[in-house]
Amino acid sequence: MAMTAPSITPMRADEVPVLEEWAAQEGWNPGLADLAIAYAVDPAAFIALRRGDELIGGGTIFSHSSQFGFMGLFIIRAALRGQGLGTELWHQRLTLLRGRLVPGATIGMDGVFAMVPFYEKGGFRLAHRDLRFEGIAHGVTDPQARPYPEISFGEIAAYDRRFFPAPRPAFLLRWLEQPGAQVLGLRGEHGLSGYGVARPCRSGFKLGPVFADSPDVAERLIGSLLAAIPGEKVALDVPEPNGAGLELAAKFGLRESFGCARMYHGPAPALPLDGIFGVTSFEFG
Ligand SMILES: CC(C)(COP(=O)(O)OP(=O)(O)OC[C@H]1O[C@@H](n2cnc3c(N)ncnc32)[C@H](O)[C@@H]1OP(=O)(O)O)[C@@H](O)C(=O)NCCC(=O)NCCS
């Protein structure tokens, strides 16, 4: 009897935890609320590969205000890899995402290094590496660090816009308000000079985003965030071109453990990488 042909369709809400579990099995240690937030903001971002009724693969194609897309969570069930299913799913996701964005919008992704040649064949170009640093949280609280919402959503959203290729208010609001998150900002002479988020994950916490005007502000923010979660396992994803960011990770005792290739389809956005001390997420940008 012929096997049912696979189909690619929107993912159902009850399948999202399955994708999350697969991501955990890959060792990606998703934030406890990451996928639920993304699904709440952009349910059409979740794409399923099914055979009959069975989920056999998936991936996300997140639209940030239709202006910037991000591909993530590309996974085929382990027993079915290497048969071309991933290629089919990936190209359909790219086509679907391009159709969800304004014409010519850039699409980003953080891909595993081994897959860079595959993504290059699909039209992506390597921009830089994003390196994951991990360790145990310990830090000192800066007395001037203020929590959200004492630092207002408006301040954070305006500041965030300088470091991200598109506005992302709905995503950001849920990110800041997720259970268990620590959100701190520092104000300077001209308003906010940096902000950072620590969020609970399957294992420990991840910091992200951490955006700051200078390495000094970033150090005070990271120290304060780590002081809020003492003794927890923590991860920080730093763009490699930010040398001061790499030094800060080392200064806080974090060790390089993993990394991704930040790639773009379309023109690379002109981001101030020297102010990005922690990427928001490898899955949603
Ligand atoms: C990546 C993945 C989704 C591909 O699915 P798949 O069904 O095995 O894909 P295909 O059989 O269509 O192969 C697609 C390409 O991936 C490449 N590939 C898959 N796994 C790879 C690996 N570990 N290292 C290098 N290349 C790999 C294949 O060589 C092929 O490239 P080619 O066309 O240039 O030869 C699947 O291997 C998977 O779930 N991996 C674990 C999760 C993961 O790493 N996802 C990617 C995150 S960026």
Side-chain angles (χ1 to χ4, degrees):
M1 202 172 73
M3 215 186 260
T4 320
S7 61
I8 294 172
T9 62
M11 190 175 281
R12 298 192 310 256
D14 64 294
E15 292 170 328
V16 172
V18 179
L19 185 63
E20 182 172 2
E21 185 56 39
W22 289 351
Q25 283 168 18
E26 291 301 326
W28 298 343
N29 188 25
L32 295 181
D34 288 14
L35 276 72
I37 291 171
Y39 191 80
V41 175
D42 186 14
F46 287 74
I47 304 300
L49 176 73
R50 278 201 208 85
R51 190 171 270 153
D53 198 38
E54 186 194 5
L55 189 71
I56 58 171
T60 48
I61 48 169
F62 201 89
S63 163
H64 287 285
S65 307
S66 308
Q67 293 171 33
F68 176 62
F70 209 84
M71 297 177 77
L73 293 163
F74 175 37
I75 307 178
I76 297 289
R77 239 181 54 190
L80 300 173
R81 291 175 191 168
Q83 303 172 23
L85 290 168
T87 301
E88 181 67 21
L89 174 62
W90 189 83
H91 283 280
Q92 285 218 27
R93 283 167 60 232
L94 179 59
T95 302
L96 286 167
L97 182 51
R98 293 181 73 182
R100 305 185 65 221
L101 304 172
V102 297
T106 293
I107 296 170
M109 57 167 297
D110 276 308
V112 297
F113 299 133
M115 293 284 290
V116 166
F118 174 79
Y119 299 131
E120 281 178 338
K121 275 195 285 180
F124 279 73
R125 293 285 163 267
L126 178 67
H128 58 263
R129 301 196 303 166
D130 284 329
L131 302 179
R132 173 158 295 171
F133 293 86
E134 291 185 85
I136 301 299
H138 60 88
V140 176
T141 308
D142 187 291
Q144 285 170 350
R146 291 284 170 266
Y148 168 81
E150 200 177 309
I151 305 273
S152 73
F153 179 72
E155 280 174 279
I156 291 178
Y159 191 78
D160 189 83
R161 192 65 194 85
R162 288 169 44 190
F163 299 91
F164 199 77
R168 49 175 180 172
F171 177 86
L172 195 56
L173 183 65
R174 285 171 175 81
W175 200 258
L176 302 180
E177 298 196 346
Q178 64 182 291
Q182 304 285 336
V183 183
L184 294 174
L186 277 167
R187 290 196 181 97
E189 278 175 40
H190 309 289
L192 207 58
S193 59
Y195 91 94
V197 180
R199 71 189 192 282
C201 299
R202 286 272 177 127
S203 165
F205 282 70
K206 283 181 191 162
L207 303 192
V210 179
F211 299 152
D213 284 358
S214 68
D216 173 61
V217 172
E219 182 169 356
R220 292 160 61 202
L221 273 176
I222 294 171
S224 303
L225 289 168
L226 295 179
I229 51 167
E232 293 281 358
K233 202 180 138 214
V234 69
L236 176 68
D237 302 328
V238 187
E240 192 172 27
N242 184 356
L246 304 182
E247 282 172 25
L248 269 185
K251 201 164 169 179
F252 283 105
L254 310 181
R255 294 235 168 89
E256 190 180 331
S257 62
F258 178 65
C260 278
R262 170 57 66 103
M263 304 183 78
Y264 293 110
H265 186 281
L271 296 175
L273 292 180
D274 58 352
I276 300 180
F277 292 86
V279 172
T280 309
S281 104
F282 281 167
E283 286 75 36
F284 303 108

